[in-house]
Amino acid sequence: MVSLWAAGAGQAGAQTVLYSAGPDSAAEAGPPAPSGRGAADAEIVVTGARRGEAKVAAETEFGEEEIAARGADSVQDLLTRLAPFVDAGGEEPVILINGKPAGFDRSILSYPAEALDRLAVLKPEAAAQYGEPPGKRVVNLVLKKNFSMLNADAGTDFATAGGQYGSTLSVRRTAISGDVRWNAQARLGASNALRKTARNIPPQDGVFDSVGFVSALDGGEIDPALSLAAGRPVTVAAIPPGALTGMPGLGDFAATAGALYPVDPDRFETLQSSRRNAALGVGVTRPLGNFSAALNFSASRNSNEGERGLPMASVIIPAGHPASPFANDVMLTRPFAGERALRTDNASTSLGASLSLTGNIGDWQGSFAASYSRNWADNFLESGVDVTRVRQLIATRDPAFNPYGVWDDGLMIAVRSRTKGENMSARLNVRKTIVNLPAGPLTWNLTANTGRNSTQSRQSDASGALIASTRVTRSQSSGQMSVSVPVSRAGGAGLGWMGDLTLDLSASAQVMTNSRLQRGFGGNVSWSPWPIIQLRAAIDYSDNAPSFDQLDAPIVTTINRIFDYARQEIAEPVWITGGNPDLKRGRRQRLTLAAMVRPLGSEVLTLHLGYRQLVAKGGLAVFPELTPTIEAAFPERVTRDAAGRLVVVDARAINIARDTSADLSTGFALRTTVGGGKVPGGAAREPLQVNLSVDHNMQLKSELLTRPGIPVIDQLRAGGQSRHSLSFQASIGRRGFGVNLDGSWSSAGRLRGGDEVFTFRPPLRINLSAFIESDRLFAVPGRKGPLKNLRLSVDVNDLLRSYRRVTREDGTVPAGYSRNEIEPLGRVVRLTVRKKF
């Protein structure tokens, strides 16, 4: 008889193999049993560690069959699909590779999911064991000992409503041989622009003409002499072709009398920019003495190009001007340059490298990671014609300026921002068992981080003249010390009757350029009185300083289409995002209570309940939705013209006086198998893997105090925030095929915008994905063909083509909140073909 079992709580990594020799195996029993025992009673027990096991036991584990049933193309894709089983809050987990910290090694995320032997979600106390803040979830990726794969993926996606198409192509090579592994991947992607003409959206107001024309100021007859020359009353006349190179005469305008060249403005506006991207990543890991070393290189290039309308200008040409053959003042209305649209272009390039070392030095377990990256960003935005400058040129009768001719690009209002940055980071983590207590080892953990970020930016106008130039260099260093104290262990001596009880304590400090020392501390208690119940309580307090990106990220200017609650109309202001060097530090206090119950004593059914309370003072927040209340609190962030129309909104991160929130989360996860067993011929058939998870969150409190003296905003009553949200995921499949369905829903929220109250009804968003490996279902065994090692996948995003509905109290829909204006892309279908070689 041979039996194998993996240890449960408190015995992470332990694996026991029991060999016993019975009467039927006497010949294989080996040496005689010790005196006093018969051969039938001989028993040998061997206990060892499972390959790649972490220092903390797994709370949930996914084996090779379950991973294969998900149909994920990469480890990153797999983590996304397993997110409800990792962290219902959606926070990115800490990654271990074969039980060791990944450090800055992100190449593991591009490995094929087939390279995994198993994926383990560790118990909550694992965060402190690996020098991470309490409450962070830790995922251990255990790779197969030997694995080799070369594959190519080709995909195409399209919006079912039409107007948008995209494609991707990637090639990946992965090889694992024991402790040596390497991975290389190249990826290309592109998608066309979604134009406004592809959707039924009302065009913007105004006159749009591809040539231009002159008209009388009062809309009547331009000039009696022109009407006489044309033989009829003339109220409009197109710009004559000869006017591009010289000043036209009355006869030239008589030839174009009454001519107009109107165009549809929607032709010159994109709802979604065209996109291009390319990425290359190479990583290698191998033993280096007593350490394991991982070296990674990455490069990427992303760009997008969009159009935001036909730039038109209207200026008065006075009588007597060299460009006017008319007796009266006339209005010239013309495009900037024919059918040239306003442009918005963004491009970014990044190069990076990282080195990670993990291993032991005596009784110390440690890891060191270092990374270096450089990035370049180019942002260009045209927002319209500089009509003020054109009027000045006309008023001064500049002989070099032809109002009808080709206009210089310097007459376009445009901003170009170029930014380049450099970042260096290093992280050191050491762990050691201080003493072995009756309940287990007392572990001491120290983590030190340091980083330096340098950013240089330059802003110029359409002519290339310098507007602003900045250069900022910041350094940041931090450290965290934690102690994990096992108080009791189920079945152990002393307090063993209490079950498993662990206490984690941590303290941290951080210092940044031009900032005082920030401190933090926290505590985490994990208690499992019985194997089916796990309870956790955590509290932490910290001074929070803004990150490098929040301070120095490249400034990006775009045009954002929003509803202006103050004027009850749609506005398209210049929208500024990026780093804000004026951000200050804040303080945060968080309390977390959580319970997990497995009533069946296994991972088949898991129930969880959680409560979280957060109080942030002087903290950091993204710029909220622009309402009259927010505008009153941050007037310096909003610019309006003389008529009160929105012109510019500075939407970079802000400091807030106080943010208080509390929420209650509940949910369950079901994992089981159906079918399986033997098929005719004696072959084994894998069972179907069935998974279902449902998570509900109820927001109990959400209050925002933007600045002292400003009324507190109850975001649940008047801030548009939903009180209830629900997410679910259901999947069924096995190696060879599978189907996954996931979705989300939120309750309605109310927002007070000036004197109006608006109701926001978030959509029920459902996504569907399915895959099939044709050779496992249709190919003839032993025969090669085009179906060999081929996987076909289909993903449908926003299956119901839903959108956020907004109404006033009387049920009317505000301008700009129609379906196509809120969610123009709609349902998107993606088809992918994957071939393994």
Side-chain angles (χ1 to χ4, degrees):
M1 177 189 74
V2 177
S3 67
L4 171 67
W5 59 271
Q11 300 183 35
Q15 181 172 295
T16 297
V17 183
L18 172 65
Y19 297 92
S20 65
D24 296 332
S25 58
E28 302 175 4
S35 174
R37 296 187 62 182
D41 298 325
E43 185 176 277
I44 302 174
V45 178
V46 180
T47 302
R50 295 172 72 191
R51 180 177 179 273
E53 198 74 352
K55 298 297 181 182
V56 177
E59 179 181 274
T60 303
E61 191 169 280
F62 296 88
E64 187 177 348
E65 292 78 13
E66 289 182 278
I67 293 173
R70 292 287 179 162
D73 290 329
S74 65
V75 171
Q76 177 70 76
D77 186 22
L78 178 65
L79 288 172
T80 300
R81 300 188 182 206
L82 295 181
F85 299 92
V86 177
D87 187 345
E91 188 175 0
E92 185 177 356
V94 177
I95 301 297
L96 306 181
I97 304 174
N98 292 337
K100 300 175 181 179
F104 297 129
D105 182 4
R106 310 305 290 174
S107 67
I108 187 67
L109 299 178
S110 65
Y111 276 48
E114 293 93 329
L116 293 179
D117 180 66
R118 63 185 186 276
L119 181 150
V121 183
L122 306 187
K123 291 185 176 181
E125 58 264 32
Q129 291 277 354
Y130 291 95
E132 300 292 341
K136 288 277 288 185
R137 299 315 304 261
V138 180
V139 170
N140 184 27
L141 306 175
V142 182
L143 300 172
K144 292 178 179 176
K145 191 170 184 179
N146 293 287
F147 178 81
S148 180
M149 180 175 171
L150 170 63
N151 69 280
D153 293 26
T156 182
D157 58 78
F158 58 91
T160 57
Q164 193 277 331
Y165 304 90
S167 58
T168 59
L169 176 64
S170 66
V171 179
R172 176 176 55 202
R173 178 74 168 96
T174 305
I176 303 174
S177 178
D179 294 329
V180 178
R181 64 179 187 270
W182 68 275
N183 180 70
Q185 182 179 29
R187 180 182 177 87
L188 297 172
S191 64
N192 71 310
L194 175 63
R195 295 192 169 274
K196 203 172 181 179
T197 50
R199 298 292 182 267
N200 183 22
I201 297 178
Q204 56 181 304
D205 297 331
V207 176
F208 299 91
D209 191 278
S210 63
V211 173
F213 58 89
V214 294
S215 61
L217 300 185
D218 59 1
E221 189 178 33
I222 296 176
D223 188 334
L226 177 62
S227 299
L228 181 62
R232 63 184 186 278
V234 179
T235 57
V236 294
I239 297 175
L244 294 175
T245 56
M247 297 303 177
L250 202 63
D252 297 318
F253 281 102
T256 61
L260 291 175
Y261 299 89
V263 292
D264 180 2
D266 286 357
R267 287 175 46 205
F268 308 94
E269 189 170 351
T270 56
L271 298 171
Q272 179 175 289
S273 299
S274 63
R275 293 179 173 87
R276 303 287 185 274
N277 60 77
L280 174 67
V282 179
V284 60
T285 301
R286 62 172 300 129
L288 188 64
N290 293 328
F291 289 83
S292 175
L295 183 62
N296 296 276
F297 297 94
S298 64
S300 66
R301 170 73 176 179
N302 298 281
S303 64
N304 60 74
E305 299 177 354
E307 298 177 353
R308 51 169 310 270
L310 186 67
M312 298 292 297
S314 295
V315 293
I316 296 174
I317 300 180
H321 190 279
S324 176
F326 309 113
N328 304 314
D329 295 349
V330 295
M331 178 70 72
L332 170 65
T333 301
R334 60 160 289 176
F336 180 81
E339 295 191 358
R340 173 190 161 180
L342 292 170
R343 296 173 297 166
T344 172
D345 303 335
N346 296 279
S348 63
T349 304
S350 65
L351 298 173
S354 68
L355 172 66
S356 300
L357 296 170
T358 59
N360 299 335
I361 301 179
D363 295 334
W364 295 85
Q365 300 172 359
S367 64
F368 171 79
S371 69
Y372 175 82
S373 65
R374 290 186 66 89
N375 58 79
W376 299 263
D378 191 337
N379 168 242
F380 180 71
L381 173 68
E382 292 178 333
S383 54
V385 181
D386 190 348
V387 178
T388 301
R389 176 61 179 155
V390 173
R391 289 170 180 167
Q392 290 176 347
L393 293 172
I394 293 175
T396 58
R397 302 193 177 190
D398 188 329
F401 177 67
N402 180 1
Y404 312 110
V406 178
W407 284 359
D408 184 83
D409 283 349
L411 294 177
M412 182 71 76
I413 301 175
V415 176
R416 181 179 294 278
S417 301
R418 287 190 171 96
T419 305
K420 59 181 179 180
E422 180 182 59
N423 180 271
M424 293 179 286
S425 302
R427 172 186 171 91
L428 175 66
N429 174 255
V430 292
R431 305 181 301 278
K432 179 179 173 60
T433 297
I434 304 300
V435 62
N436 287 308
L437 301 176
L442 186 151
T443 305
W444 177 80
N445 194 302
L446 176 64
T447 301
N449 298 277
T450 186
R452 181 180 180 273
N453 191 76
S454 178
T455 303
Q456 184 177 353
S457 62
R458 171 191 170 94
Q459 279 191 336
S460 56
D461 61 17
S463 64
L466 180 65
I467 298 175
S469 178
T470 60
R471 183 182 182 92
V472 180
T473 300
R474 301 180 192 273
S475 298
Q476 176 179 289
S477 297
S478 64
Q480 175 176 302
M481 183 178 67
S482 61
V483 177
S484 181
V485 184
V487 179
S488 69
R489 186 66 61 197
L495 300 176
W497 56 270
M498 294 181 61
D500 294 336
L501 179 61
T502 303
L503 174 64
D504 299 312
L505 301 174
S506 65
S508 63
Q510 176 177 289
V511 63
M512 179 182 284
T513 302
N514 300 326
S515 179
R516 301 192 309 273
L517 181 69
Q518 299 124 47
R519 302 177 178 86
F521 57 86
N524 181 87
V525 178
S526 299
W527 182 32
S528 179
W530 301 283
I532 65 171
I533 298 178
Q534 291 186 20
L535 306 174
R536 186 173 72 90
I539 186 169
D540 66 271
Y541 168 90
S542 61
D543 296 328
N544 288 337
S547 66
F548 287 145
D549 282 343
Q550 290 172 322
L551 291 167
D552 304 319
I555 298 296
V556 178
T557 55
T558 57
I559 298 297
N560 197 13
R561 183 179 173 88
I562 65 171
F563 186 76
D564 184 2
Y565 295 98
R567 291 174 55 89
Q568 298 290 297
E569 65 182 17
I570 287 295
E572 294 186 339
V574 175
W575 201 261
I576 301 174
T577 58
N580 178 9
D582 296 325
L583 289 175
K584 309 298 181 184
R585 71 174 188 172
R587 298 186 303 275
R588 185 185 68 181
Q589 181 176 313
R590 180 172 57 187
L591 170 67
T592 303
L593 303 174
M596 185 187 74
V597 180
R598 286 178 168 160
L600 303 181
S602 65
E603 297 181 16
V604 172
L605 178 63
T606 302
L607 311 176
H608 64 81
L609 172 69
Y611 171 80
R612 181 177 55 185
Q613 182 186 78
L614 177 66
V615 178
K617 297 181 180 180
L620 309 171
V622 297
F623 193 77
E625 185 161 5
L626 184 62
T627 64
T629 302
I630 296 299
E631 186 174 351
F634 300 94
E636 73 281 3
R637 293 297 194 97
V638 180
T639 303
R640 294 181 180 271
D641 62 16
R645 291 185 291 267
L646 272 176
V647 177
V648 180
V649 176
D650 184 349
R652 294 175 296 166
I654 59 174
N655 282 112
I656 55 175
R658 187 177 69 249
D659 185 6
T660 306
S661 64
D663 63 81
L664 182 69
S665 61
T666 56
F668 72 88
L670 177 67
R671 299 169 57 201
T672 188
T673 58
V674 177
K678 299 288 186 179
V679 296
R685 179 173 58 190
E686 292 184 3
L688 287 172
Q689 304 288 336
V690 180
N691 297 271
L692 174 64
S693 69
V694 178
D695 294 288
H696 172 259
N697 182 275
M698 181 171 66
Q699 199 73 30
L700 304 175
K701 184 178 183 179
S702 181
E703 294 182 349
L704 182 67
L705 176 62
T706 55
R707 286 184 175 176
I710 302 294
V712 173
I713 302 174
D714 187 337
Q715 299 190 92
L716 294 173
R717 294 181 179 273
Q721 187 170 333
S722 300
R723 184 176 292 276
H724 298 274
S725 61
L726 188 73
S727 63
F728 64 89
Q729 184 187 93
S731 67
I732 183 170
R734 65 168 176 243
R735 196 187 305 268
F737 77 93
V739 179
N740 185 84
L741 190 73
D742 65 83
S744 62
W745 169 88
S746 297
S747 61
R750 291 166 59 86
L751 184 144
R752 180 170 295 278
D755 297 329
E756 292 269 9
V757 175
F758 300 84
T759 300
F760 291 79
R761 293 180 175 84
L764 171 60
R765 191 174 297 276
I766 297 178
N767 306 311
L768 173 69
S769 63
F771 77 96
I772 183 172
E773 295 178 357
S774 54
D775 60 335
R776 291 185 176 273
L777 300 179
F778 307 117
V780 178
R783 181 184 300 175
K784 294 184 178 180
L787 297 182
K788 187 67 175 177
N789 295 325
L790 191 70
R791 174 192 287 175
L792 305 176
S793 303
V794 58
D795 298 272
V796 184
N797 185 53
D798 194 7
L799 185 66
L800 303 180
R801 201 181 173 218
S802 54
Y803 71 102
R804 185 177 71 161
R805 291 174 168 81
V806 181
T807 57
R808 296 187 177 92
E809 286 187 297
D810 60 4
T812 59
V813 178
Y817 280 103
S818 64
R819 170 192 290 273
N820 288 325
E821 290 173 289
I822 290 293
E823 190 61 49
L825 193 58
R827 185 189 305 112
V828 176
V829 177
R830 177 174 178 79
L831 303 175
T832 305
V833 179
R834 181 186 186 194
K835 176 71 173 179
K836 291 190 292 185
F837 301 96

